[in-house]
Amino acid sequence: MAISDWPIDERPREKLLLRGAETLSDAELLAIFLRTGVTGLSAVDLARELLQQFGSLGALLNADKRSFCSGHGLGEAKFAQLRAVLEMGQRNLRQQIHRSDALHSPEHTRNYLQSLLGHLPHEEFGCLWLDNRNRVIDWEVLFRGTIDGANVYPREVVKHALAANAAAVILAHNHPSGAVEASNADRQITDRLKQALELVGVRTLDHLIIGDGQYCSFAEQGWL
């Protein structure tokens, strides 16, 4: 049955307009993006098939072009459209976070970092630099790969802190596995970075480990 034959309040687009985007399932949201199905499959059915193929909505949204275009009913035009939508979302979050005090907007901060790091297939470590009023100066990725004491260099972090004229920092990195438990290496490098940054007058406000839809805050755990 075509979606146009469904009851109006069950059609994804109409449901979104009536009840809000947050009421839709992953498949329904994806169906609105797809707009149309393929022969024998409605847009919702196709969305469900794609979610099963890729394993999750996050995996689909962050797939590279080759993997994305291998999906049933997808192609380069859809890939370009998706990348544009994701970039608009990130820019919106970036503008929100730059207009506000990061400490008074922890949800915006987490959402912004989640959008940048949450579904990456590799680890990235970066710094959210803040001024002396805890307003955001910039987000900067400093290291890529496995995050441990061997490849996160406090001297490099200090150099970038001075270049940004930062007074404080929120450290962040992702765990591609999705789990957000802090390892011994995570805690050790955080202590080293905090000590090094204190020598140049930069306060470490938090270290966030970002997973797929979840996070761990060192500040909330009392580790800073």
Side-chain angles (χ1 to χ4, degrees), residues 129 157-158 161 169 171 193-202 204:
W129 302 118
V157 176
V158 169
V169 65
L171 309 170
L193 291 173
K194 180 183 177 183
Q195 292 170 15
L197 289 164
E198 283 177 346
L199 294 175
V200 292
V202 177
T204 302

Side-chain angles (χ1 to χ4, degrees), residues 102-147:
L103 288 181
H104 294 165
S105 304
E107 185 176 0
H108 284 164
T109 305
R110 291 196 298 268
N111 287 343
Y112 176 54
L113 295 173
Q114 185 76 44
S115 75
L116 293 174
L117 301 171
H119 308 295
L120 293 177
H122 58 275
E123 287 195 23
E124 288 191 354
F125 177 97
C127 297
L128 194 63
W129 302 118
L130 309 172
D131 66 14
N132 58 8
R133 295 177 61 185
N134 294 324
R135 294 175 303 188
V136 174
I137 298 171
D138 197 12
W139 161 254
E140 189 173 18
V141 175
L142 298 184
F143 306 101
R144 291 179 172 87
T146 302
I147 304 303

Side-chain angles (χ1 to χ4, degrees), residues 15 20 24 49 64 82 103 147 176 194 197 222:
K15 184 177 175 182
L24 272 62
E49 180 181 286
D64 59 30
L82 175 63
L103 288 181
I147 304 303
K194 180 183 177 183
L197 289 164

Side-chain angles (χ1 to χ4, degrees), residues 24-214:
L24 272 62
S25 67
D26 288 351
E28 289 171 329
L29 288 171
L30 183 56
I32 292 176
F33 169 77
L34 294 171
R35 296 182 59 189
T36 60
V38 295
T39 302
L41 293 175
S42 70
V44 173
D45 292 330
L46 176 58
R48 289 171 179 155
E49 180 181 286
L50 289 168
L51 290 174
Q52 183 174 11
Q53 176 184 339
F54 283 86
S56 70
L57 181 60
L60 171 60
L61 296 181
N62 289 276
D64 59 30
K65 187 172 89 167
R66 181 176 179 181
S67 298
F68 182 89
C69 292
S70 70
H72 192 185
L74 302 178
E76 289 189 349
K78 279 285 192 291
F79 181 77
Q81 182 182 342
L82 175 63
R83 300 318 303 175
V85 169
L86 292 175
E87 180 62 24
M88 285 191 293
Q90 289 185 3
R91 291 186 187 188
N92 177 52
L93 285 169
R94 188 178 302 123
Q95 289 170 7
Q96 288 185 39
I97 210 170
H98 276 271
R99 286 197 300 264
S100 63
D101 182 325
L103 288 181
H104 294 165
S105 304
E107 185 176 0
H108 284 164
T109 305
R110 291 196 298 268
N111 287 343
Y112 176 54
L113 295 173
Q114 185 76 44
S115 75
L116 293 174
L117 301 171
H119 308 295
L120 293 177
H122 58 275
E123 287 195 23
E124 288 191 354
F125 177 97
C127 297
L128 194 63
W129 302 118
L130 309 172
D131 66 14
N132 58 8
R133 295 177 61 185
N134 294 324
R135 294 175 303 188
V136 174
I137 298 171
D138 197 12
W139 161 254
E140 189 173 18
V141 175
L142 298 184
F143 306 101
R144 291 179 172 87
T146 302
I147 304 303
D148 58 33
N151 63 3
V152 174
Y153 303 106
R155 180 163 53 181
E156 285 297 310
V157 176
V158 169
K159 182 166 67 176
H160 284 267
L162 294 173
N165 196 28
V169 65
I170 296 175
L171 309 170
H173 78 278
N174 65 307
H175 283 178
S177 66
V180 293
E181 290 80 7
S183 67
N184 287 333
D186 293 331
R187 297 188 63 174
Q188 289 171 5
I189 192 60
T190 302
D191 289 341
R192 290 174 58 202
L193 291 173
K194 180 183 177 183
Q195 292 170 15
L197 289 164
E198 283 177 346
L199 294 175
V200 292
V202 177
R203 295 170 291 124
T204 302
L205 303 182
D206 204 351
H207 185 169
L208 292 170
I209 300 176
I210 303 296
D212 188 0
Q214 52 186 335

